[in-house]
Structure formats: structure tokens, C-alpha cells
Amino acid sequence: MVQIPVKKSFIETNVVGFSTKRENFLEKAPQLIADGILPKEATEAVIKLLQDDRTRLNQKNMDQKTAHDSQIIYSKGHCPVEKGLREYKKIIDETPGISPETKIELGLVDENSNESTNNKKPDLKGREIGGSPHLSFTKYPMEGIMLYGKINDGPYDFQTSVRGSSFDDTRPRVNPKLTEVREYYAYYIYKGIKVGKQSEIVRIVLPPIE
């Protein structure tokens, strides 16, 4: 067997890995400066760089949490708005004297159009929930999807039609004590026929069951 030497930089590209090394350096370097082992000026400059990096990361994490919380607040508050608009439209539709032109002007009309299915592909998403793969996708205006799956390095020998907008793959594990990888792709179904393009492949890693 031929061995190929590979050099890995001491600078971690992974955020978690870099943060771990950063905190280790910040914890130990000041004492090594005090002990006269590390050069004071150069080491303190690096400490300042790492401290500023930590501050930026903390701010980024806070901004992401704020954005996530704001999205949840908006989504919860937006549902009653949609309900109110639908109820208002019913009132307008049942009110004599309000012309179709007025409804169009206010945007209170449904728009009907025909769309080709040729380029449509499911926006398939997947994650592990409770030890099983959970898949979801945008259904409307289709009837559902034809879902294909495989386990580890095996063939795509799993096939099922999904008429809802989500699917839980509850098939038993090959070996519950080992990590298992399941991959899926799908096509839309319309009027009972598979249409459009294949979705992106979704890969879900199932950890061992203790």
C-alpha cells in the first residue's frame, strides 16, 4: 500500500475546532509570557487578535439568534394576518356594489395561471428525528412525490409515493449499534404521473442506538 504524506495546517478551518484552539491559547499564553517562555510583544498582539475574533463570533451568534427569534415572532404573527385577509375578502365578495375592477385594484383576487411541470423538482429536505429520517417538501400544486431511498452503500431499492408534505422513514435499522446513512431523492407526482426533474439527493446520518 502506497502511503501519501498529507500536511494539515495548525489553523482549524472548522469554527468549533478553531474556537477550541483559540480558547486554549488564550488560557495558557499569558502565564507562559509571565514565565518568560513566550515573547511578550508578539504574543500579546496575537492574544488581541484572538480576543477580537472571539468578540466577532459571539456577536455573529447573537445576531443569528436574534434573526431566528424574529423569524419565529413574524411567522406566528403573520398567520392571523392571512386569516383576517381571507375573512375580509369573503365580506367584500358578498358585498353588492363592489366591482371586480375595485377588487383587482386592491389585490383581492386570486390569480390563475398554467405552469409547466417540466422543470419542477421537489425541494426535498431531511433530518433525523427520534432516531428516524424525517423528510419534507413543498407539495402544492402537485399531488405529492415519488420517493426513492437507499441504506449505506446499497442500491436505491426503496420506493414509495408520498401524498402529504412529509414522510417519516420508520424502517428498522440494519444494525442499531452502528451508524447508518440513508439517502433519498424524489420526483413530483401530478395526476398520478411522475413529472419534472429529480430533486437533490438528501443524506441523513443516523447515530447508533445505545
Side-chain angles (χ1 to χ4, degrees):
M1 180 183 295
V2 178
Q3 299 292 325
I4 301 175
V6 177
K7 180 180 179 180
K8 179 182 178 182
S9 173
F10 72 96
I11 299 178
E12 291 280 351
T13 57
N14 177 273
V15 174
V16 175
F18 187 90
S19 296
T20 300
K21 284 194 170 184
R22 181 191 63 221
E23 296 307 313
N24 178 67
F25 188 94
L26 290 174
E27 178 187 353
K28 297 175 180 178
Q31 184 59 50
L32 293 173
I33 293 175
D35 293 341
I37 297 174
L38 295 179
K40 184 175 188 300
E41 185 175 343
T43 305
E44 287 181 344
V46 171
I47 288 175
K48 178 64 166 56
L49 287 174
L50 293 174
Q51 288 173 334
D52 290 345
D53 184 74
R54 175 207 279 161
T55 299
R56 286 189 295 270
L57 179 63
N58 290 340
Q59 184 63 52
K60 177 183 76 71
N61 291 338
M62 290 174 58
D63 291 344
Q64 287 179 338
K65 184 180 186 305
T66 300
H68 176 71
D69 293 345
S70 297
Q71 179 62 37
I72 292 175
I73 292 171
Y74 174 79
S75 298
K76 288 182 177 179
H78 187 68
C79 290
V81 175
E82 291 187 355
K83 182 180 179 181
L85 282 171
R86 294 186 190 282
E87 292 175 350
Y88 179 75
K89 184 179 183 302
K90 289 181 181 179
I91 295 172
I92 295 301
D93 289 342
E94 294 171 358
T95 301
I98 299 180
S99 67
E101 290 75 18
T102 299
K103 296 177 185 178
I104 292 173
E105 185 177 356
L106 293 174
L108 297 175
V109 293
D110 295 324
E111 298 182 10
N112 297 317
S113 63
N114 294 318
E115 296 182 358
S116 171
T117 62
N118 291 343
N119 294 319
K120 289 190 175 297
K121 64 179 183 179
D123 54 342
L124 194 64
K125 299 179 179 65
R127 58 195 177 107
E128 179 263 331
I129 298 180
S132 297
H134 176 79
L135 299 156
S136 60
F137 62 95
T138 301
K139 176 182 175 181
Y140 185 81
M142 303 300 186
E143 295 173 357
I145 59 171
M146 184 63 70
L147 181 68
Y148 301 86
K150 74 172 186 175
I151 298 177
N152 295 330
D153 295 325
Y156 281 96
D157 55 0
F158 174 72
Q159 177 180 337
T160 187
S161 61
V162 182
R163 297 293 172 165
S165 58
S166 64
F167 174 77
D168 292 303
D169 188 354
T170 57
R171 290 177 294 162
R173 302 280 192 90
V174 175
N175 186 340
K177 295 182 179 181
L178 298 178
T179 298
E180 186 167 293
V181 178
R182 298 196 183 185
E183 292 186 2
Y184 306 87
Y185 66 86
Y187 286 88
Y188 271 126
I189 297 175
Y190 186 70
K191 292 186 176 180
I193 301 174
K194 187 172 72 174
V195 298
K197 294 183 177 181
Q198 176 187 311
S199 73
E200 301 297 329
I201 292 176
V202 170
R203 186 172 185 267
I204 302 175
V205 179
L206 304 177
I209 300 176
E210 297 296 335

